[in-house]
Amino acid sequence: MPDGDPITRTVYVVPHTHWDREWYAPFQTFRAQLVDLWDELLTLSEVDPDFRFLMDGQTVVIEDYLAIRPEARSRLVRAIRDGQIQVGPWYTLPDEFLVSGETLVRNLERGLAVADEYGGSLRAGYLPDSFGHAAQMPQIYQQYGFRHAVVWRGVPLAIDRLAFNWEAPDGSRVLTAYMGGSYSHGVDLPIEPRALAVRIDSALRALAPFRPADSVLLMNGNDHVLPQRGLGAAVKSANAHLQGTQLRLARLADYLEVIPDAGWPHWLGELRASARANVLMGTLSVRIADKQRYFQASQALERMAEPLVSLTRCDIGGLLDQAWTLVLQNAAHDTACGSGIDAVAQEARLRSEAALQIVDAITTRCLPHLAGDGQVWNPSPFPRQELVEIEIDSDTETAPDGGQLLADPTPGETILLRFPAADIGRVHAFLDERRIADEVVTGVRTTRDGTTVRVLVDTRRRGVSADLADARLTMERIANEPGVEVLAVEVRRAAAQRALVESPVVAGLSVASLTSNQAAPARVAVIGRADTLANEHLTCRFLGDGTLEVEHRETGVRYTGLHRLVDDGDAGDEYNYSPVPVERGIADPLRWLRPPRVQESGPLRASMAARFEYRVPAAIAPDRQSRSVRDVPLDVALEVTLERGATRLDFAMQVVNTALDHRLRLHFPIPFTVTHSNADTAYHVTRRPVLAPRHTEGAPEWELPTHPMRSFVDLSDERTGMALITQGLHEYEVITGPPPALALTLLRSVGWLSRQDLRYRTGHAGPPMETPGAQASGLQQYGYSLLFHAGGWEQADVWRAAECAVLPLVPGRGASRRDTTSRLELEPGCIQMTACMPRVGGFDLRLLNASGAPQNALVRLTPAPSRARRITLGGQVDDRVDRHGEVIRLPLRQWEIATLQIRDTPAG
């Protein structure tokens, strides 16, 4: 800097890389490059004490590196501990709308723990490339003790400065740095000092509309880049050529420490605007089958495996930790979004499958300690009474009292095997294999017929296994008698008959016997007849055009034309939907293959099934401006189910997709005025106005009203309402009409990672690579529900109703080993459980006040714990707990997240 020139501004140059673990190349390909990056970072940190580098705010990259270079551990720890390389706070950089709130919290928890193990973590909410930000992130950050967040995408035009105060729905705030020029604004800086000074002047001019303060952030990096050698010396030399500006090679934390606390604009809620940067909203609906599997894996881990281990204290070793590793690796934004090559999608699919296998192993081990055959476990923290399928004797012609026989019995089978008499061990092994295959051996009888020993084995699919010790001894004795030459084994597998029964009222996180409902009051039966399902609350009728008409008796509202399939051409890519300019409609797209017919007629459950062809254009034309003239049929099988006493219709649909380059949606017309939607997101139900597609002049991406939901979206005029509940279907839109309609995306079939000829986005969002796997060809399966209610979503307890739909009661397994009765219930109805996590001596219970008003939460625990205290997400103790015996009371702000440490509670 010229002598005597006063310094009015400091530019903090932060060298960094943005490291997508997998994206346009698979993980192992990128890891080979990651090893080179870490090798370079450690070398530079050792030769230059002033070297600084941000390793992208995540710590999985440490594990990935040390798996290949374990000998580099001490070098890496020194560089992190000395502040030359910053890591964390995340484990992987997540998408915030396609993972659960618990996954976000565990991601931070894991990331901070790993970073601390290797020298310390960045303590700020740095998410440079997530495709928008969820409303509750400031509360999550604040509970971890973070004062700052750093974001790029999703910031609206109302934010006209390089920082703002971001507020969560509960009132928590974090001072947020806005990377207005993106995280690559300072990439590839010139090393020659004069040229670097010119580049800095240019960068400052670009940021001038944001009225930079005395300190300015310049991110020196981009995707998968290595550090610039010689940059530190260039920064020092360039200061001599700058007037009033000083350059400083820095850590991100250095910049955050000097941001003034006051004088910034304010923003409340989520950040999903695309006026300045793409939020790539089409990622909500690409590769939907993988999103469904990931939803199942995370849901089962959070709400099945962890609570079971917490309540039973089963020793399952590191299984939970391994399942979370798989779920968190799939939470990385490019992975969760499905915006990568087909090989990446295949690897992610295997992780979700592996996580589900671990959950099943945990459930098999733990569940009998709570619930055995003839019992049912309620995984929710509130009482439930629902229908449960059980297996009964196949020769039973009538259902249990008040029950309903289901479809035709599964026939039994007989297996005949012959072994030499000397191979008695193979017979014993075969019996073990039946047990391993989860069949129950109910009896073994052994007789001799001349030179042949006949072994008759009876098995069932469920039940209590017989004690086979005496039977094995008898087999051994007879097989070793003189003259025995052959062992003839006949395995008779019993036929299976299933029945539907109504459970008793099952307390929260408790168990009940399915035979204890004899005194249940009589209730109006559900009936299925012709083309209609009906109970005391709903009447649902199939119409000739394949849609449904539903009458909700409580409100007197009639819904017509529900569940209409609508298909559009999609010339987009994995990031964005792009309609074709010339859409070709088909006059009569639906042809019945099997008209609607009753499958179950009641009294507990009634269902109708139908099958039809839905004809759509085969693809888009080669010029991508219209759809092809050739049609193809999509084979659609639909089943609609209504239960006794329910205000919810359940749907199961299969579609065989034979078309390319299209978007398939369901439309649900709404017979009342709709001004906004309410959809569940991470620890929140986000209210969004109903808008038409819009474009801000100069913006790179149109803002489409296709929004994310976790498991439900509700539309209401506060007098009547309808909620759509899904499992892994995350994209909805409220179409303005008239009449207004709720649209649910079933699939977006595209063949490119990125293209630059889209209608709703300018330029590429990634490399132009073909991705035929994203065409979603073949069989697609969907499960979802419609809930009809009076009042708004809070009044109707839609959150808990959605939980009942996606988290059914769990039938017990095997012989129950439960010694005591336990219960965990939350009141009032707006208090939700988001996690029940096993800990030494007890468990941690995470709660949410899912309400826009303060509440006094009641936690009822049986047996009463000896100790209960409140902690933040980061583990700091907060003793605002009032406990009297089995009841814990704690005040909660609107939308407040709370965690309770429950200790010394005996296993249930």
Side-chain angles (χ1 to χ4, degrees), residues 401-596:
D401 289 344
Q404 174 182 330
L405 287 179
L406 297 182
D408 295 336
T410 302
E413 60 178 339
T414 300
I415 302 174
L416 299 175
L417 301 168
R418 294 175 67 85
F419 304 101
D423 282 353
I424 183 67
R426 292 178 64 184
V427 179
H428 291 315
F430 183 77
L431 293 179
D432 289 338
E433 288 169 2
R434 309 313 290 180
R435 175 182 57 80
I436 293 170
D438 205 22
E439 290 185 20
V440 176
V441 179
T442 57
V444 178
R445 297 196 306 277
T446 306
T447 60
R448 179 172 176 177
D449 182 8
T451 60
T452 300
V453 174
R454 302 193 182 280
V455 181
L456 184 62
V457 180
D458 291 319
T459 71
R460 305 187 67 85
R461 290 166 178 81
R462 299 183 67 85
V464 179
S465 177
D467 185 351
L468 302 181
D470 290 342
R472 289 179 183 272
L473 290 174
T474 301
M475 266 195 298
E476 289 277 1
R477 178 180 57 77
I478 297 177
N480 285 291
E481 290 178 353
V484 172
E485 299 177 358
V486 175
L487 296 171
V489 181
E490 180 179 344
V491 182
R492 300 187 305 188
R493 186 181 191 188
Q497 171 69 65
R498 298 190 66 77
L500 196 65
V501 297
E502 187 171 46
S503 77
V505 176
V506 190
L509 269 78
S510 190
V511 174
S513 171
L514 291 172
T515 61
S516 61
N517 195 31
Q518 304 302 319
R523 300 174 67 179
V524 177
V526 63
I527 60 170
R529 184 178 302 136
D531 58 359
T532 301
L533 305 175
N535 66 8
E536 66 267 46
H537 301 296
L538 300 177
T539 298
C540 172
R541 184 167 66 90
F542 260 105
L543 302 179
D545 61 357
T547 65
L548 301 173
E549 180 181 77
V550 175
E551 180 184 358
H552 181 219
R553 290 190 178 83
E554 180 181 359
T555 59
V557 174
R558 187 182 300 272
Y559 299 77
T560 301
L562 294 177
H563 205 272
R564 184 182 302 279
L565 277 171
V566 177
D567 189 75
D568 305 296
D570 191 344
D573 55 22
E574 289 187 327
Y575 294 101
N576 290 84
Y577 165 71
S578 184
V580 295
V582 180
E583 183 66 61
R584 182 177 70 84
I586 297 175
D588 190 14
L590 187 144
R591 182 176 74 88
W592 293 107
L593 299 176
R594 189 180 66 214

Side-chain angles (χ1 to χ4, degrees), residues 816-847:
S816 174
R817 299 191 287 273
R818 181 169 60 108
D819 299 322
T820 60
T821 299
S822 61
R823 178 180 67 152
L824 194 166
E825 291 184 348
L826 305 178
E827 299 176 16
C830 61
I831 307 301
Q832 315 303 342
M833 182 182 88
T834 65
C836 182
M837 303 158 282
R839 296 290 186 263
V840 175
F843 56 88
D844 285 356
L845 179 67
R846 188 115 62 227
L847 316 177

Side-chain angles (χ1 to χ4, degrees), residues 117 139 200 237 256 265 268 275 301 329 374 383 391 439 446 450 485 543 551 600 629 671 776 801 861 891-892:
E117 178 184 353
Q139 181 180 180
I200 295 300
S237 300
L256 297 176
L268 171 64
L301 175 59
Q329 288 175 352
E391 189 170 293
E439 290 185 20
T446 306
E485 299 177 358
L543 302 179
E551 180 184 358
E600 298 174 317
V629 296
L861 281 166
L892 296 177

Side-chain angles (χ1 to χ4, degrees), residues 639-700:
E639 182 176 331
V640 187
T641 300
L642 177 63
E643 296 181 354
R644 185 171 73 178
T647 60
R648 189 186 81 212
L649 287 170
D650 297 322
F651 297 82
M653 186 163 70
Q654 295 182 346
V655 177
V656 180
N657 180 32
T658 56
L660 304 175
D661 307 308
H662 69 123
R663 180 181 68 174
L664 185 65
R665 303 204 293 183
L666 287 171
H667 282 197
F668 302 92
I670 305 300
F672 48 80
T673 301
V674 179
T675 60
H676 60 272
S677 63
N678 289 290
D680 70 327
T681 54
Y683 298 111
H684 192 228
V685 175
T686 302
R687 181 184 176 101
R688 302 182 177 112
V690 174
L691 300 170
R694 58 185 178 180
H695 182 248
T696 301
E697 185 177 356

